[in-house]
Amino acid sequence: MIDAHHHFWWHQRHSYTWPAQVGDRFARDFAPDDLRPELARCGIKGTVLIQVLHQVGGETEECLDVCNDVDYVRGVVGWLPLSNPDETVRALERLRARGGKLVGVRHLISNEPDPRWLLQDGVLESLNLLAAAGIAFDAIPINAAQFESVLEVAQRLPELKIVLNHLGRPPIPEQGWEPWATQIARAAEHRNVSIKLSIGLDIIMRWRWSTDAIRRYSDHVLDLFSPHRVMAASNWPVILLGATYQECWDGITALLAGLPADERRAVLNDTAERIYGL
């Protein structure tokens, strides 16, 4: 099994900011040796490490170094200055020369005031560079307007592998449905879009994990995308706000229990390996 989305952070190296609702619960380091026993308990052999900060130099390079040093980290989703294509080219060359484990790029469009940030000419040019390099783009929309921009990119750049993070942010705490459900259906129509079966910060900081509450949303995603475009992911250590690692992973496997063995294997391993080229 592969956990397709987790983080590390070190407070002595970088400065992190979190929403006020998080309080001081992330005010410590979360490092490879902290995650290792959790993976062992759940039988997970590989992971994809995701950057946290938007900065040139520093964290993404550190993630790639970790990938070379930590046996279970199979690939890194880093950050590039996508709004500047020339800088993106230079950064991409530098990062890919650092061990070849850069499998994706993420920009937190959820933090951008403009919901159409992705549709700037410079950003689209940089995303084309990712497509040409076979590198996935991880998208994390948290509202309908941001989701629309991701859908437009998927249509305009059919060769770009787009990975929607955290089930596309379903309205789980309030048990809502639209417009998320329709936008998920539209996303699934684009064959270049896949999705992570995981829960994001904006949900988990105000909600306690409930497998039964998630099932309606995960079933919708699995039905539309098929298990071959869905990948399991914990979002550790963020998930610790609302669940233990084992509660999260046990919940994910319970959501897949009714699938045939090959489809369970797709969500738990094969999709991540194929999309990220692990």
Side-chain angles (χ1 to χ4, degrees):
M1 293 190 289
I2 292 174
D3 180 347
H5 192 113
H6 73 89
H7 310 281
F8 297 135
W9 55 74
W10 292 269
H11 284 271
Q12 70 272 28
R13 302 180 189 174
H14 303 289
S15 177
Y16 306 92
T17 58
W18 309 104
Q21 300 97 308
V22 172
D24 63 357
R25 287 176 286 179
F26 290 160
R28 70 174 182 87
D29 291 353
F30 290 89
D33 286 344
D34 298 312
L35 182 56
R36 191 183 301 277
E38 303 289 355
L39 300 177
R41 272 190 287 270
C42 295
I44 297 166
K45 304 301 184 184
T47 70
V48 178
L49 174 58
I50 314 294
Q51 57 70 235
V52 177
L53 302 173
H54 289 185
Q55 61 183 29
V56 176
E59 193 201 21
T60 298
E61 283 85 346
E62 289 174 1
C63 288
L64 290 168
D65 290 344
V66 166
C67 193
N68 292 327
D69 295 338
V70 178
D71 56 352
Y72 62 76
V73 178
R74 301 269 301 275
V76 168
V77 173
W79 182 83
L80 294 174
L82 297 177
S83 60
N84 187 320
D86 291 337
E87 288 186 14
T88 292
V89 168
R90 290 191 290 270
L92 184 58
E93 290 174 352
R94 185 178 69 252
L95 292 173
R96 296 194 81 186
R98 206 177 180 103
K101 296 284 185 76
L102 184 71
V103 300
V105 169
R106 186 176 78 149
H107 184 95
L108 293 175
I109 60 172
S110 53
N111 291 349
E112 294 291 347
D114 180 4
R116 293 178 62 81
W117 185 91
L118 276 177
L119 300 173
Q120 299 174 82
D121 289 343
V123 175
L124 288 170
E125 186 176 342
S126 292
L127 293 176
N128 256 321
L129 294 171
L130 297 186
I135 294 175
F137 175 67
D138 270 42
I140 183 168
I142 62 169
N143 58 47
Q146 291 170 3
F147 208 133
E148 285 298 321
S149 71
V150 176
L151 292 172
E152 187 167 339
V153 169
Q155 181 176 6
R156 292 172 67 172
L157 303 179
E159 300 305 312
L160 176 67
K161 295 183 291 186
I162 297 174
V163 182
L164 280 170
N165 288 192
H166 311 322
L167 286 173
R169 200 279 180 201
I172 297 175
E174 55 269 41
Q175 290 294 286
W177 192 245
E178 295 291 356
W180 172 84
T182 296
Q183 289 183 311
I184 285 293
R186 290 167 57 205
E189 293 174 355
H190 298 284
R191 302 302 299 175
N192 57 325
V193 179
S194 57
I195 191 166
K196 291 180 181 179
L197 176 46
S198 58
I199 301 298
L201 173 63
D202 61 314
I203 292 177
I204 204 66
M205 68 183 174
R206 57 191 176 90
W207 174 79
R208 175 76 192 177
W209 179 280
S210 165
T211 302
D212 289 340
I214 299 170
R215 189 178 300 277
R216 178 190 187 200
Y217 304 96
S218 64
D219 283 353
H220 186 62
V221 165
L222 287 163
D223 287 345
L224 290 167
F225 277 85
S226 90
H228 301 285
R229 287 195 287 150
V230 179
M231 59 184 83
S234 69
N235 197 19
W236 182 93
V238 174
I239 195 62
L240 300 179
L241 295 176
T244 67
Y245 189 94
Q246 186 156 6
E247 285 174 332
C248 167
W249 204 261
D250 287 350
I252 289 172
T253 55
L255 293 169
L256 306 174
L259 299 178
D262 64 322
E263 294 186 349
R264 291 197 305 274
R265 186 174 61 249
V267 178
L268 293 169
N269 183 85
D270 296 354
T271 301
E273 283 195 340
R274 186 183 75 255
I275 298 298
Y276 284 129
L278 302 179

